[in-house]
Amino acid sequence: MPNFIWALLIALVVSLVITPFVILFADKTGALDAPDARKVHQKPIPRIGGIGIYLAFMAGTLFALDLNLLPDDVRTGVIGLLVSSSLIVLLGIVDDYKCLPAKVKLLGQIVAASVLVGFGVQIDFIADPFGDYFYLEYFAVPATIFWIVGLTNTVNLIDGLDGLAAGVATIASITILLVAIQNDFMLVTILTAALAGAAIGFLRYNFNPAKIFMGDTGSMFLGFMLAGISVIGAVKSAATIALIVPILALGVPIMDTSFAIIRRYRGGVPIFKPDKGHLHHRLLDLGFNQRQAVLLMYVISALLGFSAVLLNEVSGGIAIAIVVCVLLVVFLGAKKLGILRMKNP
């Protein structure tokens, strides 16, 4: 059986087994998410489920991946990913207990991303659909940090309904896994398989009605890992634009975050101020229940993921046409749902 299958299965089993203990620990230590006017749940829910996701991912990865068999530079990058992602988990745990200010949390994310870059993981170039490369040179480090912090926050911000962030992250992980298989990057298949397995196991307890939330511990970890893994290998080897695959794979949270920034800017409110204008809020307003809204967003994510996989198999002109069509559909859909309009929190 391929190592990436082992990584997925081990992570899945560990996540299923350990999450109930995380629920008990959260109850005993007061790590509970209380309901308020902006949230949709009606009673306090444990919110450090990301600990279970993190431990399951580590178990699956370390079981299936022999670091000693990797080239020195690759091994250093993987160790850097494991170390920096551990830092982001620690930041998330503190935030889930103490509710850190947005600026402090952002600074912590930048520090974790900088640690990853310090281990040599960075975006050195971007490939266009025609096989040419644009080298970032002096912009490589800031571009990598921006990319990692940006994706970390997109997953973090979409975590608003039971099972939403975990499901979308699972679909994105599987998308990048398939692209990695297409390009014969077995390291990335193991990492994404472990991430998918951990998230799937967690969904057993997180899907509506949720017994536990992943909290910032989980949402930041998932976003950080997807960003870091994409830099390490799978997408950089593709013949299409280097970062388009994970952008499409995470199209739902990226779209939601981008429109939230535009909406708040146009409304004259701080970008980090929460509101009820996110995609899942709009779907609830249209009469969808939580499960229906989440499942619809799964379908959208899966279609975007399929587009990303297809993008890796087509010529440059067709790749551009796919991206343009996706962007057009996203814009028209957002306009129809009123995501660009401000709504009172």
Side-chain angles (χ1 to χ4, degrees):
M1 190 160 54
N3 281 356
F4 72 88
I5 299 295
W6 278 114
L8 189 151
L9 292 177
I10 295 297
L12 173 62
V13 171
V14 171
S15 184
L16 285 170
V17 171
I18 204 170
T19 301
F21 294 99
V22 176
I23 294 174
L24 292 175
F25 180 76
D27 281 332
K28 290 183 177 296
T29 58
L32 302 174
D33 193 324
D36 60 29
R38 196 176 61 87
K39 298 172 182 176
V40 297
H41 59 284
Q42 304 299 317
K43 62 180 182 179
I45 303 290
R47 64 176 178 185
I48 53 172
I51 294 175
I53 297 175
Y54 165 75
L55 293 175
F57 167 81
M58 287 294 184
T61 297
L62 295 177
F63 180 89
L65 182 63
D66 188 344
L67 293 175
N68 294 322
L69 297 179
L70 299 175
D72 289 344
D73 58 334
V74 177
R75 180 169 61 251
T76 299
V78 173
I79 292 172
L81 183 64
L82 300 181
V83 170
S84 57
S85 64
S86 299
L87 294 178
I88 209 73
V89 167
L90 289 174
L91 176 67
I93 292 172
V94 173
D95 186 52
D96 283 336
Y97 277 98
K98 301 294 185 181
C99 293
L100 297 173
K103 292 182 180 179
V104 174
K105 189 160 60 172
L106 178 62
L107 178 61
Q109 294 168 353
I110 293 173
V111 169
S114 299
V115 169
L116 180 58
V117 172
F119 278 84
V121 179
Q122 63 184 45
I123 304 168
D124 293 314
F125 61 86
I126 298 176
D128 67 26
F130 304 102
D132 296 325
Y133 296 94
F134 174 73
Y135 289 89
L136 298 178
E137 299 180 349
Y138 299 111
F139 296 100
V141 171
T144 303
I145 292 174
F146 178 82
W147 168 257
I148 294 172
V149 172
L151 284 196
T152 299
N153 282 295
T154 58
V155 178
N156 182 224
L157 291 174
I158 203 175
D159 186 24
L161 295 180
D162 297 353
L164 180 55
V168 170
T170 298
I171 294 169
S173 298
I174 292 173
T175 299
I176 297 176
L177 185 154
L178 293 175
V179 173
I181 292 174
Q182 289 174 324
N183 291 278
D184 197 29
F185 267 78
M186 290 301 104
L187 167 62
V188 174
T189 65
I190 291 174
L191 294 173
T192 49
L195 198 64
I200 293 170
F202 178 73
L203 270 173
R204 163 68 178 78
Y205 308 96
N206 183 236
F207 198 72
N208 183 263
K211 298 180 177 65
I212 186 171
F213 295 154
M214 66 173 63
D216 281 359
T217 305
S219 59
M220 289 198 301
F221 172 71
L222 290 172
F224 189 93
M225 287 302 306
L226 288 168
I229 290 171
S230 68
V231 175
I232 280 179
V235 180
K236 288 173 65 176
S237 68
T240 53
I241 300 174
L243 301 179
I244 289 295
V245 170
I247 287 174
L248 284 176
L250 287 168
V252 169
I254 289 175
M255 173 196 72
D256 198 44
T257 300
S258 300
F259 288 140
I261 292 172
I262 295 171
R263 180 175 66 246
R264 292 166 190 172
Y265 176 80
R266 290 174 60 184
V269 301
I271 290 176
F272 290 106
K273 183 179 180 180
D275 63 20
K276 296 192 71 172
H278 289 284
L279 176 56
H280 55 272
H281 291 125
R282 301 293 185 179
L283 293 175
L284 294 176
D285 289 343
L286 289 174
F288 289 84
N289 60 37
Q290 275 207 58
R291 288 194 173 196
Q292 291 169 337
V294 169
L295 290 173
L296 176 58
M297 294 175 76
Y298 284 178
V299 171
I300 296 172
S301 294
L303 291 174
L304 290 171
F306 175 76
S307 299
V309 174
L310 180 63
L311 199 66
N312 194 51
E313 294 290 335
V314 299
S315 62
I318 297 176
I320 292 174
I322 291 173
V323 173
V324 170
C325 289
V326 169
L327 291 175
L328 182 61
V329 170
V330 165
F331 177 77
L332 293 176
K335 187 176 180 181
K336 183 71 174 178
L337 290 172
I339 293 176
L340 291 171
R341 296 196 302 270
M342 282 299 300
K343 182 180 177 183
N344 293 330

